[in-house]
Amino acid sequence: MKIPLRPTHLLVNLTQLRRNLEAIRAHVCPAQVLVMLKANAYGHGVEGVAPYIEPYVDYIGVAVLDEGVRLRQIGITKPILVAGGTLPEHVPYYLEYDLTLTVSHPAVLEAAEAAAQAQHKPLKVHLKIDTGMERAGIRWYEADNLLERSLRCRHLDIEGIYTHFANSEARETPGAPKKWGYAYPSEQLERFRSVLAFYDKRSLPRPRLVHAANSGAILNLPESFFDMVRPGILFYGIYPDKDVLRSVQVKPAATWKSQVVYSKLTQAGHPVSYGSLWVSDHPVRTVTIPCGYADGYFRRMTNRPQVIVNGKKYQQVGRICMDQFMVNLESDEAELGDEVILLGQAASGEQILPEDLAEWAGTNAYEVMTNISARVPRIFFKEDE
Ligand SMILES: *Cc1c(COP(=O)(O)O)cnc(C)c1O
């Protein structure tokens, strides 16, 4: 393992990622698994995660074209679906980098057919149906026309058709009254099925890969598995919500570590950090951690987080700075270089979950992980297997 120059780093356990993937695969079998590696593999570091996990996945998903191109540039050869919206003029790059295009707009379909014809290369397309997200995708009630047109595109390989849930983590009680203006997963699923009936009615085969389920649906909604599932957060070992069914056992793969770089006694009445937002009425030991909001440790958490120092949890105190923050050890001791865990489990068993940071920051675990900035080196390791 390469020693980082700075004490603050993100340790990523690749073996744990593979275990999470295997647990998901066992749960959804025989459905295939597309693993979402967008947003720098949810902050874990795509350049370490992608080459390691590639042999074990069926498909890779990213959000934007550039992420797909980057994966090809580092040598990834498995199919890659770009899930986000694309402008017609960007279609030729999908051919150049052998990426799977999401089509949800007639203009993009036309551009795709034209580009594939001009380059004499097949272009893989997944049609995206909006069944209640109101984000991107042809709406379920107007989809027939796009599907009809797609049948006429001789140069495209219409490999897939998919939708995305707005509330996959929501658990529905059968027979419970429905709220007006809420996108229920079961309703979205029904709408998606009504679109798939387009093929059945015409005795045409459906595209080979029908898919819908993200992490929440993988846990809660087995009817949504179809031919492939698209786990993101669950692959990284994080549950999308505290109320989801824990039907797959996963564990976080990332540990955010640092070290004490300053240790001192702070006198009573001597406030700590910018804005003097914390002051003790008795002398306490405070330590300084070289990590701040520029690393993704949210400034808005100030005075709320707990941090593990030498295996024990303590309170963060004073305004979180750009590059550093302080922790109150009360009467305990700590030396320069002592181990600090911001996220993850210590050998003592003490643990801080992404959900904990999410609560302190008033956000979700997705934002906590994707917010860990490029300044934090990612260190990848495998357990002895
Ligand atoms: C991000 C994303 C996912 C993964 O969502 P999770 O909730 O992290 O599992 C799946 N499908 C699409 C289209 C996405 O954009």
Side-chain angles (χ1 to χ4, degrees):
M1 194 187 299
K2 190 167 160 276
I3 304 298
L5 292 176
R6 66 177 298 206
T8 303
H9 57 270
L10 193 74
L11 258 180
V12 178
N13 183 341
L14 296 170
T15 311
Q16 187 57 49
L17 285 176
R18 184 152 66 81
R19 282 193 207 116
N20 294 342
L21 174 63
E22 279 167 2
I24 294 167
R25 193 183 277 293
H27 179 70
V28 304
C29 184
Q32 296 186 39
V33 183
L34 172 152
V35 164
M36 269 294 170
L37 298 183
K38 62 186 174 188
N40 196 24
Y42 285 50
H44 289 64
V46 75
E47 309 204 349
V49 173
Y52 173 77
I53 212 69
E54 179 178 25
Y56 309 106
V57 306
D58 302 300
Y59 227 107
I60 291 168
V62 294
V64 301
L65 177 58
D66 310 54
E67 294 175 324
V69 170
R70 185 78 199 116
L71 285 174
R72 289 289 182 243
Q73 285 169 340
I74 64 170
I76 301 297
T77 59
K78 279 269 164 85
I80 300 174
L81 172 69
V82 180
T86 289
L87 296 172
E89 59 265 37
H90 291 152
V91 167
Y93 294 104
Y94 286 77
L95 282 156
E96 186 176 341
Y97 291 96
D98 186 26
L99 303 171
T100 304
L101 174 71
T102 291
V103 166
S104 45
H105 197 284
V108 178
L109 186 72
E110 303 304 332
E113 172 71 355
Q117 183 167 21
Q119 294 197 29
H120 307 288
K121 268 203 241 170
L123 174 54
K124 269 191 272 176
V125 164
H126 287 209
L127 301 169
K128 170 85 178 284
I129 312 298
D130 190 323
T131 56
M133 182 76 178
E134 290 294 330
R135 186 168 63 177
I138 192 100
R139 265 77 58 80
W140 79 95
Y141 49 81
E142 57 187 6
D144 273 18
N145 188 269
L146 186 77
L147 268 52
E148 196 82 61
R149 285 189 195 210
S150 76
L151 295 176
R152 293 198 294 270
C153 294
R154 299 267 161 245
H155 302 88
L156 300 181
D157 173 11
I158 310 288
E159 180 191 55
I161 182 165
Y162 73 105
T163 191
H164 190 59
F165 294 109
N167 299 298
S168 65
E169 65 296 332
R171 287 169 69 183
E172 297 177 60
T173 346
K178 300 245 176 206
K179 272 189 290 190
W180 183 84
Y182 188 84
Y184 288 93
S186 62
E187 234 161 50
Q188 284 197 253
L189 201 55
E190 207 172 296
R191 292 165 178 173
F192 188 46
R193 287 216 173 89
S194 76
V195 173
L196 297 173
F198 170 94
Y199 298 99
D200 311 337
K201 276 187 252 163
R202 288 162 183 75
S203 305
L204 291 169
R206 293 174 177 183
R208 305 192 289 291
L209 295 173
V210 175
H211 50 110
N214 60 348
S215 297
I218 289 169
L219 295 165
N220 287 341
L221 203 63
E223 312 89 275
S224 68
F225 294 171
F226 296 101
D227 303 314
M228 188 163 79
V229 298
R230 303 189 306 266
I233 200 92
L234 195 63
F235 165 64
Y236 302 97
I238 303 165
Y239 291 95
D241 191 81
K242 55 180 178 311
D243 299 326
V244 288
L245 211 59
R246 305 229 160 175
S247 50
V248 181
Q249 295 306 308
V250 294
K251 279 197 204 143
T255 306
W256 196 356
K257 282 195 166 182
S258 190
Q259 285 174 297
V260 170
V261 291
Y262 208 87
S263 177
K264 65 184 184 299
L265 270 178
T266 293
Q267 300 303 325
H270 289 219
V272 169
S273 193
Y274 292 127
S276 304
L277 299 178
W278 186 85
V279 63
S280 176
D281 61 5
H282 57 282
V284 293
R285 176 159 300 275
T286 60
V287 292
T288 303
I289 315 302
C291 176
Y293 60 80
D295 298 302
Y297 203 78
F298 294 106
R299 182 176 182 268
R300 62 179 183 267
M301 296 193 295
T302 288
N303 283 336
R304 282 200 293 267
Q306 292 195 308
V307 173
I308 302 169
V309 181
N310 294 329
K312 196 171 153 188
K313 278 189 187 174
Y314 298 98
Q315 198 62 39
Q316 187 282 323
V317 293
R319 176 71 88 201
I320 294 167
C321 308
M322 186 186 290
D323 316 301
Q324 312 179 64
F325 65 78
M326 276 60 82
V327 174
N328 174 14
L329 301 194
E330 285 292 337
S331 53
D332 288 347
E333 296 295 324
E335 310 281 339
L336 297 198
D338 282 358
E339 181 196 75
V340 176
I341 293 178
L342 313 179
L343 172 66
Q345 191 166 17
S348 66
E350 285 287 10
Q351 180 166 218
I352 293 168
L353 291 169
E355 293 90 312
D356 297 325
L357 283 163
E359 191 170 317
W360 296 322
T363 183
N364 62 9
Y366 295 76
E367 197 190 8
V368 166
M369 298 313 299
T370 57
N371 193 59
I372 300 173
S373 80
R375 194 170 73 174
V376 178
R378 269 67 171 173
I379 308 209
F380 304 96
F381 74 99
K382 292 173 219 158
E383 286 178 24
D384 299 328
E385 290 168 55

